[in-house]
Amino acid sequence: MSTGGRVMVLRPAEEAAQRREDTQSNADITDSAWRRWVRRADLLPVASYLLLMLFIVAPLLIGRGGTIPIQAGDRAQAELFLAHAAHFVTHGGNPLFIANLNAPFGVNAMANTSALGLGIPMAPVTLMFGAQASFDVLMVLAVVATATSWYWLFSRHLATNRAAAWVGGLVGGFAPAVASHISYHPNLAAQFAVPLLIWRSCKLLEGRPVRNGLLLAAVVVYQAFVNEETLLLAALGMASFMTLYALQRREVVRTLVRPLAAGLAVTAGAAGAVLAYPLYFQFYGPGSYHGGEPAMTKFRLDVLGLTTYGSNSIAERLRRFNTPSPFGLGAEEHGYFGWSLVVLLVVLVWWQWRDVRVRCLAVTGLGFAVLAMGSPLQYEGVDTGIKGPFGLLNDLPLFDTALPTRFGQVTQWAVVLLVAIGIQRLSEIPGLTGRNRQALICGLVAVALVPAAPWTLKVVDRPPTPTFITAGTWRQYVGRGQTVLVVPLPQWDWYDGMAWAAATNEQMPLSHGYFLGPKDGIEGHHATVGPVTRPTDDLFAYAAYQYKVPPIGDEERAQARADLRYWHASLVIVPASAEWVPARDTVTALFGPAKGVGGVWMWDVRNELR
């Protein structure tokens, strides 16, 4: 494990060089200079990842902005966060706080999935082409970068067989835990820093604690501004693997404790110094909360989830009548590998059980899969009443804000490594010719991985943003410190208001929104979705859900005017479509006749604020 001062937990450098020499085929020698250059440059694997991703998002590209994935509420939120990052780049201010969402109170960006680490680099695209186009570009780049990062880790530090590295990149970039998020959560699909975290953590074992500790700290800080949950899970997964490894290789690990501890101390100090204020702001700043929204615990992996194919997988999409899985989780399908890949994993683990890395990865992956099942356990979508291990963690800090199913991300990373190791071992079987070896690997990939691979996205028509918004007409009615009230109220179900605000690059101040904040608006309370509910909100919700006008009298009108002053709302707008006629009539009953202009019904209520 330690050779000449260089330590690689995944594979010693000398062993890798020897295997590379042993497995070099005659075909490599006879390749043309062009092919050798392409292989060295790693263009073909990256190009294949890009082409596959373009195929998956083709329905969006063909729609040219007129289509969106089904259930696009989370996407609208992500678009607004991209717009917030672009607004910060051009206007300055506090990037950790979103003033024009839930205005005039604002939203704690650090306590939400604002993903500044993605939004700020994407700001030029957002400013030139809009948040919607920026999201589409980011969606492609995030997955391709993730697959490429895994490929780089394998090709440089784990596998000498390029096929093994390529397949490892495929699984790492297009597994259900990534693919299920691409339409909604770019911060969760963008996992390209995880292989870098693994690599730099292993480098700590080589010594040079200051240099290696600072480099790891840089990756940690960046990942914290992409998604803190992924960072936490990566740390837990690596800690589990290293603990299991140490228990089985005490004599080797004993010599590595000192350089590891020194490097981690530097990492903790440097990363802690940079993240101290953002974390303080997240947990104690305006709009902060302690403890997750109760509905989060409902997202958990079914007992049969590991052998179930994801809802957007090839196998599931080709099922007769295309009937959905009774216990699919849509954007939260962590661990939905399908029975073919699970069978392959079981065979690989059994075959390579003597390899300590395989044992540690298998136990770690299975353990986190059990945690992802939450508590109580669920069988075919029905609670069993049986408590799961996650119940022991659910009330602990940090764990109380986590979705249980996302612990399956660690399982996915373990699977990525196991598949790459397994294919590498297959390529080393003595007696197999190059052609037979390729046929064996291709056959296994086809049988085990293709059914679980993602298919093209399901999309629906996207309502165009009204010209009242895009032309900036709304600005005539909204002064400094005033807000816009959009009905139906912006939330996961009805995302128009969030999408409209994103189209203005977060310049239009929304009185409501879809976000996480403290219950009752009291900082430190547990999280809830959306703003503090006012009595008039109930009238708007009734019109949206019941599709009819609620009873409205003088008392409701007086309360509505008081609520306008609470929200500082000077303008009320409703989408001008037949779907929202009950919402229009409800607002009309409260504030008088509407004016139709630029694709919306609007009410100028500035006089009500006096």
Side-chain angles (χ1 to χ4, degrees), residues 499-511:
W500 295 352
T504 68
N505 279 339
E506 201 225 336
Q507 295 184 45
M508 186 175 78
L510 285 182
S511 62

Side-chain angles (χ1 to χ4, degrees), residues 417-441:
L417 291 162
L418 286 170
V419 168
I421 292 173
I423 293 180
Q424 174 67 33
R425 290 289 187 251
L426 286 172
S427 70
E428 297 167 354
I429 296 177
L432 278 181
T433 64
R435 192 169 291 179
N436 290 337
R437 183 184 301 114
Q438 292 174 3
L440 176 61
I441 293 175

Side-chain angles (χ1 to χ4, degrees), residues 341-427:
L341 180 53
V342 170
V343 169
L344 174 62
L345 289 169
V346 170
V347 173
L348 289 177
V349 170
W350 172 78
W351 177 41
Q352 292 295 317
W353 186 251
R354 291 185 178 182
D355 188 329
V356 64
R357 300 170 303 168
V358 170
R359 294 198 299 271
C360 295
L361 287 170
V363 174
T364 296
L366 184 59
F368 277 83
V370 174
L371 288 176
M373 295 178 185
S375 183
L377 300 179
Q378 186 172 276
Y379 180 79
E380 291 191 343
V382 179
D383 287 348
T384 63
I386 301 173
K387 293 184 178 180
F390 188 82
L392 301 174
L393 307 174
N394 194 39
D395 295 328
L396 297 177
L398 299 182
F399 292 94
D400 58 359
T401 59
L403 276 65
T405 181
R406 291 184 183 174
F407 280 75
Q409 280 193 358
V410 179
T411 305
Q412 171 208 316
W413 299 329
V415 168
V416 173
L417 291 162
L418 286 170
V419 168
I421 292 173
I423 293 180
Q424 174 67 33
R425 290 289 187 251
L426 286 172
S427 70

Side-chain angles (χ1 to χ4, degrees), residues 147-158:
T148 301
S149 184
W150 281 111
Y151 168 80
W152 177 87
L153 177 68
F154 295 137
S155 63
R156 300 303 189 272
H157 301 290
L158 175 63

Side-chain angles (χ1 to χ4, degrees), residues 436-520:
N436 290 337
R437 183 184 301 114
Q438 292 174 3
L440 176 61
I441 293 175
C442 291
L444 288 175
V445 169
V447 172
L449 300 184
V450 170
W455 192 244
T456 55
L457 297 178
K458 297 179 181 179
V459 298
V460 295
D461 292 336
R462 177 171 187 151
T465 302
T467 57
F468 183 80
I469 304 297
T470 57
T473 311
W474 61 271
R475 299 177 186 274
Q476 303 174 16
Y477 307 93
V478 183
R480 186 178 181 85
Q482 296 176 339
T483 70
V484 178
L485 170 62
V486 178
V487 181
L489 301 177
Q491 52 182 291
W492 185 84
D493 307 75
W494 306 302
Y495 50 84
D496 285 343
M498 299 282 287
W500 295 352
T504 68
N505 279 339
E506 201 225 336
Q507 295 184 45
M508 186 175 78
L510 285 182
S511 62
H512 292 65
Y514 173 44
F515 60 92
L516 285 175
K519 184 173 176 58
D520 300 323

Side-chain angles (χ1 to χ4, degrees), residues 77 80-82 84-85 88 94-101 105-117 187 224-228 278-279 281-283 285-289 506 515-518:
Q77 183 192 62
L80 190 139
F81 291 156
L82 289 172
H84 166 67
F88 163 71
N94 184 0
L96 310 181
F97 188 74
I98 307 176
N100 283 343
L101 183 62
F105 311 102
V107 170
N108 192 315
M110 280 299 295
N112 283 265
T113 54
S114 54
L116 293 170
N187 59 315
F225 285 106
V226 173
N227 185 256
E228 293 171 295
L279 291 177
F281 193 91
Q282 175 179 344
F283 293 106
S288 59
Y289 54 84
E506 201 225 336
F515 60 92
L516 285 175

Side-chain angles (χ1 to χ4, degrees), residues 46 49-54 56-57 61 82 117-126 133-150 169 172-174 178 182 185-193 222 226:
V46 177
Y49 300 146
L50 176 60
L51 290 174
L52 177 57
M53 188 57 194
L54 291 176
I56 293 171
V57 301
L61 301 179
L82 289 172
L118 300 175
I120 291 177
M122 291 298 297
V125 179
T126 306
S134 183
F135 184 100
D136 290 340
V137 173
L138 178 59
M139 181 169 53
V140 174
L141 292 180
V143 173
V144 174
T146 299
T148 301
S149 184
W150 281 111
F174 297 90
V178 176
I182 58 177
H185 311 132
N187 59 315
L188 292 173
Q191 297 181 10
F192 50 83
Y222 179 72
V226 173

